[in-house]
Amino acid sequence: EDALVFKSQDETHLSWAYPAGEADAVKRSLSVMEAYSEEQGYEFSMYSVTPEMFAQLETFFPGKFQIEYDRDEADYVYEREKLETLSGKKLHGKRNHINKFKSVHENWDYETLTEDNVEECFQMALKWRKENGCNDDTDKNAEMCVTMNALRLFEELDLKGGILRIDGKIVAFTIGEPICPDTFVVHIEKAYADVPGAYTMINQQFVEHECMDYKYVNREDDAGSEGLRKAKLSYKPVFMVEKGHVHEKETILSNRIC
């Protein structure tokens, strides 16, 4: 129906991302998606739906659907300038991490990810995966598969990346891309745990060198991880992007069953 649609399906579930496209195409595709779900024997549902998406859905089908927002899926959005300068009392601790990193590691360097250094970055990612027990953790392993593919195809996918070195050795890297005229999203960030301040440093350097043309930086969700949530909140997001799961209202389903 001239819309871009993502489907998530296995033996136990079927769900969709909200369609992308012109309004008429989105409305037509929603009807096709709903019919397909019913044919497959599943209740129609969508994931990662934002308030703006749900508002559009309500204009198409008033009162038919309900949304349940999931805090674990909410994206953290920051002012690019704040992430770059780390100015203000609230980010004083981050500036201290940066200053300590620079004082301890005088021979550090930042590089933009290119075809000349991507293989070296790939090897660092392989070592990171081994050190963090990804082979024994399904979720971690899946995440690293995405990371490896992003590195292999960063040019084809038009991604931007940054590398942090100490004494010539890569200790951290980041990959992201613009998602709209004023916002850049950071998809991947990896650093060695035994290098204090490496995560703070690659975060600041990447924003300074690769995100200068954007007002906001979206660092995605925390997936419900307590440690990740604490870390992302410590950078003081300017706002959160809520995302939720959409289902038909229970009253409609009950009437259909009756």
Side-chain angles (χ1 to χ4, degrees):
E1 302 299 327
D2 296 321
L4 176 64
V5 176
F6 291 91
K7 179 184 69 168
S8 174
Q9 183 176 9
D10 59 22
E11 298 81 5
T12 62
H13 88 289
L14 168 63
S15 190
W16 312 82
Y18 196 81
E22 297 296 329
D24 290 344
V26 169
K27 184 176 182 179
R28 293 195 305 270
S29 65
L30 285 165
S31 296
V32 174
M33 292 155 56
E34 189 173 11
Y36 181 89
S37 297
E38 187 172 351
E39 291 172 4
Q40 296 290 310
Y42 292 98
E43 174 193 349
F44 177 68
S45 68
M46 290 185 289
Y47 59 89
S48 296
V49 178
T50 66
E52 292 76 14
M53 294 172 180
F54 187 71
Q56 184 184 58
L57 183 65
E58 277 288 280
T59 65
F60 295 151
F61 310 102
K64 183 176 182 180
F65 297 99
Q66 61 186 8
I67 186 168
E68 296 178 6
Y69 291 105
D70 188 341
R71 175 63 178 80
D72 295 348
E73 296 182 2
D75 285 349
Y76 294 75
V77 181
Y78 308 84
E79 291 180 305
R80 189 270 311 162
E81 184 180 2
K82 284 289 187 180
L83 288 185
E84 178 183 345
T85 63
L86 299 174
S87 60
K89 292 182 179 180
K90 293 181 179 180
L91 295 175
H92 177 73
K94 302 298 182 185
R95 294 198 302 276
N96 286 343
H97 289 157
I98 294 289
N99 293 333
K100 184 176 181 179
F101 180 94
K102 291 180 177 180
S103 65
V104 173
H105 308 288
E106 294 184 1
N107 192 23
W108 69 271
D109 191 27
Y110 173 86
E111 295 177 8
T112 296
L113 183 68
T114 68
E115 61 179 5
D116 296 326
N117 56 29
V118 66
E119 179 58 32
E120 191 178 356
C121 190
F122 190 86
Q123 294 303 316
M124 180 270 184
L126 288 175
K127 184 177 179 182
W128 190 97
R129 181 173 68 175
K130 182 178 180 180
E131 291 183 353
N132 287 270
C134 295
N135 290 333
D136 300 321
D137 187 309
T138 302
D139 291 337
K140 282 186 178 181
N141 193 52
E143 180 188 354
M144 286 309 297
C145 284
V146 172
T147 299
M148 301 300 185
N149 283 327
L151 287 169
R152 290 188 187 279
L153 300 171
F154 85 98
E155 289 185 304
E156 291 87 342
L157 295 172
D158 200 23
L159 300 173
K160 290 186 177 182
I163 292 172
L164 182 66
R165 294 182 185 270
I166 296 177
D167 297 324
K169 172 188 172 183
I170 296 177
V171 297
F173 69 90
T174 293
I175 300 174
E177 64 180 322
I179 53 173
C180 63
D182 68 354
T183 305
F184 190 98
V185 61
V186 175
H187 293 305
I188 298 164
E189 187 177 82
K190 299 298 178 190
Y192 288 135
D194 61 354
V195 182
Y199 273 109
T200 308
M201 193 68 177
I202 188 61
N203 183 348
Q204 185 275 328
Q205 286 290 301
F206 184 74
V207 170
E208 178 180 336
H209 290 89
E210 315 300 339
C211 305
M212 68 289 288
D213 296 329
Y214 303 93
K215 182 177 181 179
Y216 300 110
V217 176
N218 182 322
R219 292 181 57 78
E220 299 189 332
D221 59 75
D222 58 36
S225 166
E226 183 177 348
L228 197 54
R229 179 169 298 184
K230 182 178 180 181
K232 293 197 174 188
L233 285 173
S234 70
Y235 278 96
K236 309 304 177 185
V238 65
F239 64 87
M240 307 285 290
V241 178
E242 289 186 298
K243 292 180 289 184
H245 299 265
V246 167
H247 303 271
E248 288 191 67
K249 286 188 175 179
E250 294 181 5
T251 54
I252 296 175
L253 291 174
S254 297
N255 291 337
R256 182 175 296 175
I257 293 172
C258 294

